[in-house]
Amino acid sequence: MIGIRLRSGPSTMWGPQLILIYNDAYRPIPGPRHPFALGKSAREVYSESWHVVGPLLEQALSTGKTVFYEKLLVPLPTQDGVRDAYLNYSFNPIFEDGAIAGLFGSLHDVTGEVVALRKLAESEARASRILQSIGDAVIVTDERACITDMNHVAESLTGWSLIDARGELLSTVFHIVDEKLRKPVESPADKVRRLGTIVGLANHTILIRKDGVETAIDDSGAPIRDDDGKLSGIVLVFRDITERRLAEEVALQERARAFEALQQAPVFFALLQGPDHVFTMVNPPYLRLVNNRDVLNKPVRIALPEAAGQGYIDILDKVLQGEPFVGWC
């Protein structure tokens, strides 16, 4: 759709032929057909538009009723050919000796407004589609932390529909507590407004859904700023980490069992991590081997300085790079 920049202008359509009589303000409407249009029948001047406006004007001329339409799509002549325009269209009957002698009214071009609103609607629709396609839960608020939008994942995790949640404070819909203390956790929106930056939740945060179901989550909140840099809203992204938490607990339990088994093992055992070969786990036989020295959480070079001169660390470096080593003399 190509918009036309027209000024509003009054005109008169006189007699049964609807002869056009207008002033300078109306001249952009007939466009290149001015001055030919002056004194000619509107049916002739606006032949391309007559299937749209003709029935309306003919009805007003025959019944004496006012014609008024908003954002009427009308093809109009321009220097580049016929183009579509959206007009606020208003015509009133003119009476002479009690009979309808013609029509008087004005046209106001609102094409720019219609196109802008359409682009805004398309932009909002696209943003909504993107929001719904995100796998994490997303909630958007205004600068007061009142909810303006949320996706289906957020609806599922909070138990609130967007219709019910819109306009509510985030703290009402996004009800979070500390898993252990069972005390409310500061709303990410409040934290964003206080710090003015991206924030994350503390560990062990629980989201309490509308029906009371609890879900372990992590999240991040970020400010939305306008062109002047002022806070205009907040976006909150969060996810269900219940499965991850369960997997972590299982891993911890397995590590604890492995640690217990190694503590009982009759062989020397030490677990080293990182390029500095830091002792993270040792069993009693190994401690006795090193004369019960305090080696935990210390690099080999510091815990066992005598080993450095025996090539021990060189061997550990090679093992760390994936080269196996068996035996020690």
Side-chain angles (χ1 to χ4, degrees):
M1 183 70 64
I2 299 177
I4 310 172
R5 300 295 297 176
L6 304 176
R7 297 173 299 188
S8 59
S11 68
T12 297
M13 297 183 185
W14 191 257
Q17 299 301 317
L18 295 174
I19 301 300
L20 280 171
I21 305 171
Y22 55 84
N23 62 9
D24 286 344
Y26 185 84
R27 287 173 58 179
I29 303 298
R33 294 177 186 173
H34 174 82
F36 163 81
L38 191 60
K40 297 294 189 300
S41 170
R43 298 185 184 93
E44 178 183 359
V45 174
Y46 298 120
S47 57
E48 298 90 348
S49 313
W50 205 249
H51 67 285
V52 177
V53 300
L56 307 178
L57 297 173
E58 301 282 7
Q59 181 182 14
L61 188 64
S62 63
T63 65
K65 294 182 179 179
T66 296
V67 172
F68 177 74
Y69 280 87
E70 288 187 329
K71 300 179 178 65
L72 183 67
L73 180 59
V74 181
L76 287 179
T78 71
Q79 295 290 353
D80 299 321
V82 176
R83 296 287 185 267
D84 288 337
Y86 288 91
L87 305 176
N88 285 350
Y89 205 88
S90 175
F91 276 89
N92 301 299
I94 302 172
F95 291 91
E96 186 178 53
D97 298 330
I100 301 173
L103 302 174
F104 175 81
S106 65
L107 305 177
H108 181 64
D109 173 42
V110 291
T111 305
E113 174 187 343
V114 171
V115 171
L117 289 174
R118 178 180 296 169
K119 288 182 177 179
L120 177 61
E122 291 173 352
S123 176
E124 291 177 345
R126 182 173 182 273
S128 178
R129 290 193 297 270
I130 293 173
L131 181 66
Q132 296 302 335
S133 70
I134 297 174
D136 290 335
V138 181
I139 296 178
V140 183
T141 78
D142 60 18
E143 70 281 2
R144 301 170 300 156
C146 293
I147 293 174
T148 60
D149 207 351
M150 62 197 301
N151 65 1
H152 297 318
V153 183
E155 288 180 309
S156 176
L157 288 181
T158 62
W160 286 74
S161 68
L162 175 58
I163 294 176
D164 293 335
R166 183 173 280 137
E168 296 283 349
L169 284 170
L170 178 64
S171 57
T172 300
V173 175
F174 190 67
H175 182 198
I176 50 178
V177 298
D178 182 278
E179 182 179 19
K180 296 179 180 179
L181 301 178
R182 308 303 298 180
K183 293 183 178 180
V185 175
E186 182 182 17
S187 166
D190 293 337
K191 200 170 182 180
V192 168
R193 289 193 296 177
R194 177 166 54 83
L195 300 177
T197 186
I198 298 174
V199 302
L201 279 180
N203 292 330
H204 306 293
T205 298
I206 294 294
L207 170 65
I208 302 179
R209 203 167 67 181
K210 193 176 184 181
D211 59 5
V213 173
E214 297 184 358
T215 304
I217 64 167
D218 66 7
D219 86 332
S220 64
I224 302 172
R225 302 190 182 279
D226 60 20
D227 293 339
D228 296 325
K230 295 181 180 179
L231 183 70
S232 61
I234 297 161
V235 59
L236 176 69
V237 181
F238 57 102
R239 61 200 62 83
D240 181 353
I241 61 168
T242 302
E243 292 186 4
R244 190 180 82 191
R245 289 279 299 279
L246 289 174
E248 290 173 351
E249 289 177 5
V250 169
L252 286 173
Q253 292 172 2
E254 291 178 349
R255 183 173 179 178
R257 287 194 294 267
F259 179 78
E260 182 63 28
L262 290 170
Q263 294 299 308
Q264 303 300 324
V267 297
F268 306 122
F269 173 81
L271 178 63
L272 308 176
Q273 290 187 344
D276 292 329
H277 313 299
V278 176
F279 285 98
T280 59
M281 188 184 297
V282 294
N283 68 353
Y286 189 89
L287 284 177
R288 289 194 294 271
L289 177 68
V290 296
N291 298 318
N292 293 316
R293 279 185 280 185
D294 182 15
V295 298
L296 275 177
N297 301 316
K298 295 179 180 178
V300 170
R301 294 179 186 276
I302 296 176
L304 303 174
E306 69 276 10
Q310 301 177 11
Y312 185 48
I313 293 178
D314 293 336
I315 293 174
L316 293 178
D317 287 339
K318 292 179 181 180
V319 172
L320 188 63
Q321 294 171 6
E323 183 177 332
F325 174 80
V326 179
W328 174 261
C329 297

